[in-house]
Amino acid sequence: MEKNTKPLSPAEQALREAALEYHRSPVRGKISVTPTKPLSNQRDLSLAYSPGVAYACLAIEENPALAADFTSRGNLVGVVTNGTAVLGLGDIGPLAGKPVMEGKGCLFQKFAGIDVFDIELAEKDPDKLVEIIAALEPTLGGVNLEDIKAPECFTIERRLRERMKIPVFHDDQHGTAIISAAAVINGLELVGKQIGAIKLAVSGAGAAAIACLDLLVALGVKRENIFVCDSRGVIHDRREDRLDESKKRYQQKTPARTLADVMAGADVVLGCSAAGAITPEMVKTMADKPIILALANPEPEIRPELARAARPDCIIATGRSDYPNQVNNVLCFPYIFRGALDCGATRITEEMKLACVREIAALAKAEISDEVASAYSGRELRFGPDYIIPTPFDTRLILRIAPAVAQAALESGVAARPIADLDAYRQSLTRFVTHTGLFMRPVFAAARAAPKRVAYAEGEDERVLRAVQAALDEKLVKPILIGRPAVIAARIERAGLRLVPGRDVEVVNPEDDARFRQYWEAYHRLNARNGVTPDMAKAAVRRSNTTIAALMIHLGDADGMLCGLVGRFDAHFAHVQEVIGAAPGARCYATMNALMLDKHTLFIADTFVNDDPSAEQLADIAAMAAEELRRFGVPPKLAFVSHSMYGSSRRPSALKMRAARDLFVQRHPDIPADGELQGDALFNEEMRASLVPDSALHGAANVLILPNLDAANILFNVLKVTGGKGVTVGPILLGANAPAHILNPASTVRRIVNMTALAVADAGARSRLS
């Protein structure tokens, strides 16, 4: 963004108003400080502050390393600026730069779960800045220097790295350098050039440009092949003006004096300067298959359409989100700090930065994730000239970069708390990717221990294909795709997946399968007394992939199934009922949805099956829900929810919920349960105890049994969109004779992966009991 004194266009004015409203409402600013511990009674107060806090203070005094255990310091980064080089706005001062620093804090938290204090300092003297920032070391786990102008930023960072025993990282330099280096590596691979043989021309000699050059030299670019231009032209050995040390490193003996001169024959041009600095005529003179990094923001040194018109064989990256190959620092800085903080790194080394480069470059070559596919719907993203670096929405960045950084810190000798088990660490990071990572961990572990065969009724759906790829990578499942082989193959190719039908997945063609006769005859046997003729059986099997999946389970060709991505729940449920049927002893079916909120994980039943269940049915549903919770490794605590509270109403629905609770407690006295309870009492033990001192339910309830389908479904969907994360698992079908789960058309790839793991774990548990 640049300062603009011209009148704003209608579109720019609309953007301005939207941006100002975004920063103003509903709460001023973009970050806040939120307590992580309860403070609801006198005991909490005595632990949080005096006298209990003294024990934490004394422990840290005795062993300073314990600050990472007893305070937030190990997950706290200071984003520090003096406002002298804010975005493209220049020296606008620290107060005006505060919205940018708050924004940086949002990115740290959103992408890597790192807390931030934004610190804006009204000080331009480098010596004083170093003293101020260094004095903050007891508060912070790391320092991200931001928007400090060159050349002072070089000196400030160097001196802070020498003085402080925590990571110090100037993102404008090193973040840009890391992403740019990854883009260059992949670009050179595509055009078949060796990094040690290329000629590199550079427009700009500020902090970002110099950091890019230093990193590229570390990767193999020869210094004698680098030609840098600043605002006075080429940095050559006959320049009479005074050059700072960072520029002197790249002085050349050369007759070239302009950017046009040095771009002739260049293999790569790096732009960290100003809009329009590179012309189409300059691009025409570059070497075969040139790589152009035009990183000025918001207007690059040359627009991609102009560069391609001049040289159709070029590969170009910019800093803009509306063009392919966006060089965006968010690909790097949250994750390098995540890895550095988690291993207690005392500084960020060159090896840690190079580890970032390698992982970012490698991720661009992997098949795209479901988040990327959703964010860029309609665009075919695959490693190539228009996809040489990953997108900011690729949530796998943290899973690759943070462990690689932690390992590099260990090998560099700067990890104060080395991570012994990188695989376990990588698994722990999934909490930032899916929000269900920790919650689903027991289910995933059970699935990995004994992968089972799961049939996917919508085997042609791209979400299923992506989920199957992810599940195979996690070693969760033996997948069976029901669908037309040609369509499945085409969609695997379009999505850039590694699935190979016949090797990785079994494919069942509903139009031509050798088992067709066996399947329709089985269907006929099951339903002959329900008016189903042989011809009707044939038609039913031809018509419904869900019926095929259910028959596969019935005949022993599969262990579980997923369906429901297309069509109505009731239709799929009818097919499951007529083929798979109810489990022995199950007197009803039900569905349960899990919902991860900011403060609670809740299980809600029955969300899809029973319109108005009886007290007897509710007790059965509660028992099935409690059994399912154990699969997640969660002790069940049940609440039978009503508009009534311990007999405050004599309406039929209140009496039903009381009766359901009584039946459940009689049958399962070992499972904590209470009811009938109003919604505000579900999480408030003091309220319950004031009315019924002998309640068996202690703490907060985690399974909510609702009086009817409307109440359960409405509550689930309202909480899903208003309750914070709103991350869900389900619907989980309870009461069926096999793992058969009916999803809904809005299901994401991650939900399909989660439900795959659940189906496999369920199948394993059933096989052990049989």
Side-chain angles (χ1 to χ4, degrees), residues 313-329:
D313 61 339
C314 76
I315 295 174
I316 182 166
T318 71
R320 293 177 61 118
S321 60
D322 53 348
Y323 288 108
N325 299 324
Q326 184 192 13
V327 175
N328 190 324
N329 288 6

Side-chain angles (χ1 to χ4, degrees), residues 246 433 458 638 717 743:
S246 64
V433 176
E458 291 89 6
L638 280 79
N717 281 295
L743 307 182

